[in-house]
């Protein structure tokens, strides 16, 4: 797909972030920090973004969506919205992992913050994930956020669409662990008996 009019958005963290890409450049962007309320705020923010660029929903030719890892509910909010919009607008939607957004090189390991002093980790080789993502103890040096998240999301989604050959699979959440499987912070009590 060449030069899509692409709307990309993500709610996998404590934010709603979105960008509108047209003719290969970001024409509108929004990033709002919020710990709660992504479900109520996502669609109004997307409508404001379209209005800012002078576009309507029918002008879109593709969608990009952040699939995580991150907040379980937040991932589901954006992925469900993207799948619903793609179906209603009859346009493709592509999922972009947070690892892909944070990746700076074609090969190496990407670490993202996770709850309870842990980190999500994903190894890359020649631009492709090599092996499944993992949950590890948090390394000392770890970036807490991606400064240009809306722009990266839109450009990486457009790049994935451009490389796609054949049907594009529906975006699906990227869960590294079950939603309630985080290790306990404290050691279990010692039973003396």
């Amino acid at each position: 797909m060449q030069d899509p009019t692409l709307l990309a958005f993500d709610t996998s963290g404590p934010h709603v972030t979105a960008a509108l890409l047209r003719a290969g450049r970001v024409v509108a962007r929004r990033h709002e920090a919020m710990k709660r309320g992504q479900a109520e705020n996502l669609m109004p923010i997307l409508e404001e973004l379209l209005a800012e660029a002078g576009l309507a929903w029918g002008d879109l030719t593709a969608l990009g969506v952040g699939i995580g890892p991150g907040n379980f509910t937040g991932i589901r909010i954006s992925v469900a919205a993207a799948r619903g919009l793609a179906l209603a607008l009859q346009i493709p939607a592509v999922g972009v992992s947070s690892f892909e957004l944070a990746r700076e090189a074609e090969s190496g390991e990407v670490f993202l913050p996770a709850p309870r002093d842990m980190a999500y980790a994903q190894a890359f080789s020649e631009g492709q994930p090599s092996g499944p993502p993992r949950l590890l103890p948090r390394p000392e040096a770890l970036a807490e956020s991606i400064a240009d998240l809306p722009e990266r999301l839109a450009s990486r989604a457009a790049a994935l669409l451009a490389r796609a050959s054949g049907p594009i699979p529906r975006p699906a959440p990227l869960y590294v662990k079950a939603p309630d499987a985080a290790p306990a912070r404290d050691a279990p009590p010692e039973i003396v008996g």
Side-chain angles (χ1 to χ4, degrees):
M1 176 178 283
Q2 289 296 89
D3 286 335
T5 300
L6 180 136
L7 177 63
F9 52 91
D10 177 59
T11 59
S12 67
H15 59 255
V16 172
T17 194
L20 187 57
L21 187 80
R22 190 168 197 196
R25 70 180 199 48
V26 174
V27 295
R29 68 178 297 278
R30 183 83 32 85
H31 183 84
E32 293 189 22
M34 60 181 70
K35 290 185 180 183
R36 291 186 169 84
Q38 290 97 329
E40 297 83 4
N41 289 293
L42 176 61
M43 295 310 287
I45 288 171
L46 297 181
E47 288 177 342
E48 290 170 11
L49 204 63
L50 287 168
E52 182 182 319
L55 297 173
W57 291 106
D59 296 322
L60 298 175
T61 59
L63 297 168
V65 63
I67 59 170
N71 176 286
F72 180 80
T73 302
I75 295 168
R76 295 188 63 81
I77 290 166
S78 56
V79 170
R83 289 171 83 169
L85 286 168
L87 182 63
L89 299 171
Q90 298 180 348
I91 59 176
V94 64
V96 182
S97 79
S98 300
F99 295 119
E100 180 67 28
L101 297 174
R103 183 171 61 84
E104 296 290 341
E106 290 295 303
S107 297
E109 195 142 33
V110 176
F111 297 95
L112 300 171
R116 297 179 177 88
D117 295 324
M118 301 294 281
Y120 300 117
Q122 173 71 66
F124 283 86
S125 178
E126 297 179 15
Q128 297 298 316
S130 57
R134 302 170 325 281
L135 187 63
L136 305 170
R138 186 179 290 215
E140 286 187 30
L142 179 68
E144 288 298 321
S145 64
I146 301 167
D148 56 349
L149 181 58
E151 292 84 357
R152 281 188 188 215
L153 181 60
S155 64
R156 298 274 166 95
L160 288 171
L161 285 166
R163 288 195 311 255
S165 59
I168 297 167
R170 296 184 309 175
L174 174 61
Y175 300 129
V176 176
K177 62 177 186 63
D180 60 349
R185 283 188 137 161
D186 301 319
E190 187 176 324
I191 299 174
V192 180

